Amino acid sequence: MPKSRKRKQQVEVDHHPKPPTKTPKTTKETPKDPYPNHARPTREECVSVRDDLLALHGFPQEFAKYREQRLSSQTSNGCDAAVSSEPSDEKESVLDGLVRTLLSQNTTEANSQKAFASLKSAFPTWEEVLAADSQSLESAIRCGGLAKTKASCIKNMLSCLLAKKEKLCLEYLRDLSVDEIKAELSHFKGIGPKTVACVLMFQLQQDDFPVDTHVFEIAKAMAWVPVGADRNKTYLHLNQWIPDELKFDLNCLLYTHGKLCRKCIKKGGSTGKQQEKESEDINSCPLLRYCK
C-alpha cells in the first residue's frame, strides 16, 4: 500500500506545472520553424542584400543610436555604464520603448512620434498615465490614430504591470533570457510578436528580427518564405535562418528600403515596356535581382 500511495502522489505532482526556472540566455526555446524545408534565406543572400542596401541607402540615421547602444552593451553591463555625448534621452527606458512601439502601429512614423511626445507632455509620468481617464488619454494620442484601442492597451498594460511588479518599470527584463522576455510581454493584451520583437531588438539589444509590413512584403517578393506565408510564420522562419549577427542591420535596412521603394514588391507579370522599365529600375532598386 505505501508503494501504491507513493506512485499516486508522484503522478499528481507530474501533472502540476513545473515552477519557472532561470533559463540561460543562450538556450533556444522559441517555436519551431514552420517551414523547415524552405532553405532560404541563406547566409550568403543575407550578406548580399545587406551590402546592397548599405551601398544604396547607407545606414539609416533613425536607427543609428540603437546601433551604438548595441556596440556599447557588448562592453558594459549596466544601463548607465556607457559614456555618451548624446542627449540624456538617448537611453530610452524599456517601458518608454514599448509604448512608443505600440503608438507606431498602423500609422506613419511622424504621427507616432507626435503621439508619443503629446502623451509625455500631457502625462509626464506613467503613474499619471495610469491615473488619467480614458478620454483624456485618447485625446493625448489621437494624432497617432486608433486612439481608443491604443489607450485601452496602454492602460491595461500599465495596470497589469503595477499589479505584478508593484511599480511601473520594465527594466527587470534586461536580466531575462529572450524566451523569458517574450513570455513576460506576451501576457499583456494587445502586445503582439512584432511589438515584442521591436523591444527586444531596440531597447534590449537582443538578436531578434521583427517583421512589419515592409519586411514581410519584401521577404515574400524575394521568396524568403513560401507562397501563402503569413506574418507570424514569416517571423518564426526568418529568425531561424537569418544569422544573429546580421539581424539588426538587415532588419533596419529592409524596413527603410520598404518605405522608400515599392518597385521590388509589385506583383504580377510584365511585358514590353514594363520589362524595359524594370531593367532600368535594377540600378535604383538592387533587390529586383533577388525577386522572382
Side-chain angles (χ1 to χ4, degrees):
M1 289 296 291
K3 263 190 181 179
S4 172
R5 187 162 52 252
K6 269 189 180 178
R7 282 173 62 91
K8 186 176 180 183
Q9 289 173 345
Q10 185 62 48
V11 170
E12 288 174 351
V13 171
D14 287 345
H15 279 80
H16 280 71
K18 293 182 180 179
T21 55
K22 184 80 174 179
T23 306
K25 290 197 176 185
T26 54
T27 300
K28 296 288 185 182
E29 296 180 357
T30 50
K32 291 181 180 179
D33 181 1
Y35 310 117
N37 297 322
H38 191 84
R40 297 188 64 199
T42 64
R43 178 186 180 84
E44 291 71 26
E45 284 180 300
C46 293
V47 170
S48 182
V49 169
R50 180 203 61 185
D51 291 348
D52 283 347
L53 292 180
L54 269 175
L56 180 64
H57 300 296
F59 191 79
Q61 280 304 301
E62 64 181 298
F63 301 123
K65 66 178 181 180
Y66 298 110
R67 197 188 203 195
E68 290 171 9
Q69 287 171 13
R70 291 177 72 84
L71 293 174
S72 174
S73 69
Q74 294 173 6
T75 55
S76 62
N77 294 321
C79 301
D80 55 355
V83 178
S84 174
S85 59
E86 298 294 329
S88 58
D89 63 352
E90 176 76 8
K91 297 295 286 185
E92 186 174 48
S93 75
V94 180
L95 185 51
D96 277 26
L98 175 59
V99 174
R100 188 188 291 277
T101 305
L102 281 171
L103 292 175
S104 71
Q105 295 173 0
N106 300 107
T107 191
T108 64
E109 185 182 345
N111 284 342
S112 69
Q113 287 179 349
K114 287 178 186 176
F116 186 77
S118 174
L119 176 66
K120 298 293 277 185
S121 175
F123 309 104
T125 69
W126 292 116
E127 287 75 16
E128 290 175 87
V129 173
L130 181 58
D133 62 89
S134 297
Q135 205 165 24
S136 299
L137 184 54
E138 289 170 27
S139 296
I141 63 174
R142 196 171 305 283
C143 59
L146 298 175
K148 189 177 182 68
T149 300
K150 292 176 181 178
S152 174
C153 182
I154 291 169
K155 283 186 74 78
N156 175 71
M157 183 267 296
L158 293 176
S159 179
C160 291
L161 179 59
L162 186 62
K164 183 176 183 178
K165 292 295 182 180
E166 299 184 345
K167 61 179 179 178
L168 299 178
C169 179
L170 286 173
E171 296 307 302
Y172 74 94
L173 295 178
R174 298 186 186 277
D175 298 323
L176 304 184
S177 71
V178 169
D179 293 303
E180 288 171 330
I181 293 166
K182 288 180 178 180
E184 287 283 307
L185 292 180
S186 296
H187 286 151
F188 299 128
K189 185 179 178 181
I191 308 294
K194 193 209 87 169
T195 299
V196 173
C198 285
V199 172
L200 277 166
M201 188 172 79
F202 293 118
Q203 276 70 45
L204 298 173
Q205 292 85 50
Q206 297 286 353
D207 297 318
D208 212 68
F209 197 83
V211 176
D212 77 316
T213 302
H214 302 298
V215 173
F216 179 46
E217 292 295 337
I218 294 176
K220 286 194 299 181
M222 294 193 298
W224 281 8
V225 287
V227 175
D230 61 26
R231 263 173 61 172
N232 284 341
K233 288 182 179 179
T234 297
Y235 166 72
L236 294 174
H237 179 74
L238 294 183
N239 268 282
Q240 290 288 332
W241 286 87
I242 297 174
D244 282 349
E245 68 274 15
L246 299 176
K247 285 178 178 175
F248 182 81
D249 283 6
L250 183 58
N251 193 275
C252 293
L253 286 161
L254 285 174
Y255 169 79
T256 299
H257 187 71
K259 287 197 304 179
L260 298 176
C261 175
R262 309 304 291 173
K263 296 168 189 168
C264 54
I265 60 175
K266 283 183 179 178
K267 297 178 181 178
S270 57
T271 56
K273 291 184 178 180
Q274 286 178 311
Q275 287 181 336
E276 290 179 23
K277 181 69 166 59
E278 285 177 2
S279 179
E280 294 171 4
D281 286 341
I282 290 287
N283 295 324
S284 59
C285 179
L287 298 194
L288 286 176
R289 67 189 179 92
Y290 302 96
C291 299
K292 303 289 184 181

